[in-house]
Amino acid sequence: MACLLASTAGVVPVDDAAFAAAYEATGDVDRARLKTCIARLHVLYGSASGLGAGDVREGRTATRWRHGFTSLEQASPCAWTLLCVDASWSSGPRLLAALLPALFAGVGSVAVLRVGGGGAWPPQVLAALELAGQEVAADAEPAAVPALLEALAASGGVGGAAGRLLLLGEHPDQMAALARVQGVPVWRDAPSPTIAIASCGDGIENSDCPDGAALRAAHPDATFVDVPALPESLGRAVAPAPLVPLFPLAPLSAVACAPAHAGGWLPHTGLVLGPGHEWCWMHPGLTPAWFARRSVALLPASPPPEDLLP
């Protein structure tokens, strides 16, 4: 992947000096916060007991069903992943949340591309990549991306299905359309998140409240809204209750709140962050399983043994 980036017109790889400078500029405190993000994602998606454990195991499995047929499934990590951020991308945690599931899945080759950007990358972004062990990154002119996608789609041996494209930030619809025409699955994040910081309300210690300044530092490009604590009746409700009469908000990407209020917010947003997790992020639904290639054969009840061999 690194050789392909270096040889593509309009693509400028990020050099080691830029990574080193960004690492130092990020500072000890923010590097520790990024490490916490990586550690949480590893437990959730990369460890033996996590949510994504066993999602991508290369091999072939035959199952003879009592209903009179045999299924044969073949699974493997995809061959490559191209993760594109826009020119203004500045959040290390949200980048890690998209990158690490691909790494945990064992994707063969991964590259991070800043499309249309110029100049120095935000330090926390390159520091996040460095800490994750992902040092294949580059700036690319928008016109260079189609050629990269075509080359990658042709490299897998089975067409675009061998790869994955992730788009974070603002990107033209044509980029996703081009990938899909070549059979490349595409995942898109919301262009800019809206994050609510909920009041802790009465009876909650300050130590149990998220650090709003740290949260804003983790997501410089996000829109933040301050909201009151959920009414007690909503906070304990099992079924989702409408928020519109209470808070006329756009859809929330995440809510930061005291642990005591987390359960009440879960029906209303895909991610709730408590204190100590201001620099953590997850993209619900984007797991290592999305980076797996799976094929299934439906066969007679007792196919010849050679049909089950790789």
Side-chain angles (χ1 to χ4, degrees):
M1 180 74 83
C3 293
L4 175 61
L5 295 180
S7 63
T8 301
V11 177
V12 180
V14 178
D15 59 27
D16 291 342
F19 275 106
Y23 187 87
E24 291 300 322
T26 301
D28 293 341
V29 172
D30 287 348
R31 287 201 302 267
R33 290 165 167 168
L34 289 169
K35 290 177 183 178
T36 297
C37 179
I38 293 170
R40 296 296 184 267
L41 289 166
H42 182 267
V43 170
L44 291 168
Y45 292 142
S47 68
S49 60
L51 300 176
D55 280 340
V56 185
R57 295 180 181 177
E58 186 166 4
R60 184 173 288 184
T61 303
T63 304
R64 290 184 170 89
W65 301 91
R66 62 182 178 86
H67 307 81
F69 72 99
T70 294
S71 64
L72 182 63
E73 181 182 35
Q74 180 169 298
S76 64
C78 63
W80 57 268
T81 290
L82 191 62
L83 196 166
C84 295
V85 300
D86 66 12
S88 62
W89 189 268
S90 56
S91 173
R94 297 206 315 280
L95 180 58
L96 288 171
L99 169 68
L100 288 178
L103 300 183
F104 294 148
V107 173
S109 187
V110 180
V112 176
L113 212 61
R114 184 174 66 166
V115 181
W121 288 50
Q124 67 161 280
V125 173
L126 286 187
L129 295 179
E130 174 106 355
L131 289 168
Q134 174 64 38
E135 296 187 2
V136 179
D139 278 308
E141 298 174 2
V145 177
L148 270 177
L149 282 173
E150 290 175 7
L152 288 168
S155 70
V158 292
R164 299 291 184 269
L165 174 66
L166 295 93
L167 300 176
L168 280 66
E170 295 275 5
H171 296 279
D173 292 339
Q174 294 91 325
M175 190 183 299
L178 174 63
R180 291 189 175 107
V181 164
Q182 300 185 56
V184 179
V186 180
W187 181 88
R188 300 192 73 163
D189 189 22
S192 180
T194 298
I195 303 173
I197 301 178
S199 169
C200 286
D202 297 331
I204 303 293
E205 298 290 336
N206 286 339
S207 59
D208 284 332
C209 298
D211 184 338
L215 193 63
R216 288 179 167 86
H219 308 281
D221 57 338
T223 298
F224 288 90
V225 292
D226 294 316
V227 298
L230 285 175
E232 187 173 354
S233 58
L234 272 182
R236 295 181 179 178
V238 176
L243 285 181
V244 174
L246 298 168
F247 320 124
L249 303 175
L252 298 175
S253 306
V255 174
C257 68
H261 300 155
W265 281 107
L266 279 176
H268 307 291
T269 184
L271 180 63
V272 177
L273 300 171
H277 293 82
E278 293 86 356
W279 278 55
C280 296
W281 197 263
M282 291 176 62
H283 298 291
L286 184 63
T287 70
W290 191 77
F291 298 91
R293 294 187 60 248
R294 283 188 166 87
S295 303
V296 177
L298 300 178
L299 306 172
S302 299
E306 59 268 20
D307 287 350
L308 305 182
L309 296 176

